[in-house]
Amino acid sequence: MHPTHPELLDFLAAELLKRSWSRKSLQRFLMESEAYRMATVGPDEALEADPRNDLFWRFNPRRLTAEEVRDSMLAASGELNLRRHGPSVFPPLPKEVLASASRPGAAWGRSSKEDSVRRSVYIHVKRSLREPLLAVLDQPDPDMPCPERFPTNVPTQALLTLNGDFSQVRAEALAASLAEHATLRPALAEAMERALSRAPEEDELDRAAALMADLVNAHGMDQQRALSLFALGLFNRNEFTWLD
């Protein structure tokens, strides 16, 4: 297979030499470049001239990896433990998953509450026991070689991100962390900013407030439960799971 941009490869090879073979420095150089920080949208005439983005004039949208989705939920809820290094951790697994092991009571370790919300890179990988959220969001199967990940879009993903214990608990934690707000609108604004990494528009807040009123008045929920469902909805938005 021939490289699509040999001149760019030559330039990056020279840049790596200039940086004393520091791959981390080269990665930082790439991620701080104007090309990497482009948005996914742009002028219609540019899209017409280069629809495949061969000239790198825009960013190709991509879905977050399984580990990034999990970590993003923890970060938005305020629970993510950023402690580095150390042994693998064992977050809780559903009893249905544990029951599939040959020795259900001894198949999986038990980590503390603080360790169970560490970054996904520290989760213990066991071929016979997969963390359901990571598995359904296309984390590579440890039984098979995986030179490249190919994201899928299947109904079971939404079933877990909407109904799974992990996303439900994260949504409840996000809702609970907003209790310091005396009124609802600032709480909704903070929830959206933490989940979507941007300030919400006024019309978005209007729709969010209307949804909360409907959940409370028409469905008989208390405000905290309604706020948890709102947070769960944020975790299931395309804007949350896709880099745009």
Side-chain angles (χ1 to χ4, degrees):
M1 181 181 293
H2 297 287
T4 57
H5 297 74
E7 296 88 353
L8 177 58
L9 286 179
D10 290 342
F11 169 78
L12 292 176
E15 194 67 35
L16 182 60
L17 284 172
K18 189 192 306 183
R19 295 168 185 271
S20 302
W21 294 91
S22 172
R23 287 176 292 177
K24 180 175 289 188
S25 176
L26 184 65
Q27 289 170 346
R28 185 179 296 111
F29 171 73
L30 289 170
M31 295 178 71
E32 290 178 348
S33 69
E34 184 179 353
Y36 185 86
R37 292 182 293 171
M38 291 288 188
T40 59
V41 295
D44 291 339
E45 56 269 23
L47 183 61
E48 184 176 349
D50 184 19
R52 298 192 309 173
N53 196 28
D54 290 332
L55 299 178
F56 299 147
W57 61 274
R58 63 184 175 90
F59 183 81
N60 289 322
R62 73 166 180 88
R63 197 188 70 192
L64 298 178
T65 63
E67 294 86 350
E68 289 170 331
V69 171
R70 178 183 179 274
D71 292 356
S72 295
M73 288 186 184
L74 288 169
S77 69
E79 300 170 282
L80 184 63
N81 180 352
L82 292 174
R83 184 170 71 85
R84 299 172 61 188
H85 310 304
S88 299
V89 297
F90 297 85
L93 291 183
K95 61 181 184 297
E96 295 84 1
V97 174
L98 293 174
S100 66
S102 57
R103 299 170 58 207
W108 191 250
R110 179 174 297 179
S111 293
S112 66
K113 183 178 180 180
E114 293 75 18
D115 279 345
S116 67
V117 290
R118 292 184 67 192
R119 291 170 54 211
S120 302
V121 70
Y122 294 108
I123 294 178
H124 181 77
V125 176
K126 188 170 185 176
R127 288 183 299 173
S128 57
L129 286 178
R130 306 282 307 280
E131 205 288 337
L133 181 67
L134 299 183
V136 79
L137 290 175
D138 307 310
Q139 182 191 49
D141 186 341
D143 278 328
M144 303 286 290
C146 181
E148 182 178 357
R149 295 194 190 194
F150 295 99
T152 62
N153 186 16
V154 294
T156 48
Q157 293 168 347
L159 288 174
L160 265 183
T161 55
L162 277 171
N163 304 309
D165 290 340
F166 182 84
S167 53
Q168 295 266 353
V169 173
R170 304 293 75 81
E172 291 168 2
L174 174 54
S177 69
L178 303 172
E180 62 184 33
H181 292 287
T183 55
L184 178 61
R185 199 173 181 91
L188 295 173
E190 182 179 340
M192 296 183 73
E193 186 163 355
R194 284 164 61 176
L196 306 179
S197 299
R198 64 170 178 82
E201 302 288 343
E202 286 301 315
D203 64 320
E204 290 180 301
L205 285 175
D206 291 341
R207 294 196 301 270
L211 172 64
M212 290 287 293
D214 184 62
L215 291 174
V216 172
N217 299 325
H219 298 276
M221 296 183 186
D222 60 55
Q223 183 166 297
Q224 197 64 21
R225 175 57 180 156
L227 196 55
S228 295
L229 284 181
F230 175 72
L232 185 63
L234 290 175
F235 291 157
N236 281 270
R237 286 181 59 162
N238 283 342
E239 190 175 355
F240 181 80
T241 55
W242 282 80
L243 285 180
D244 195 353

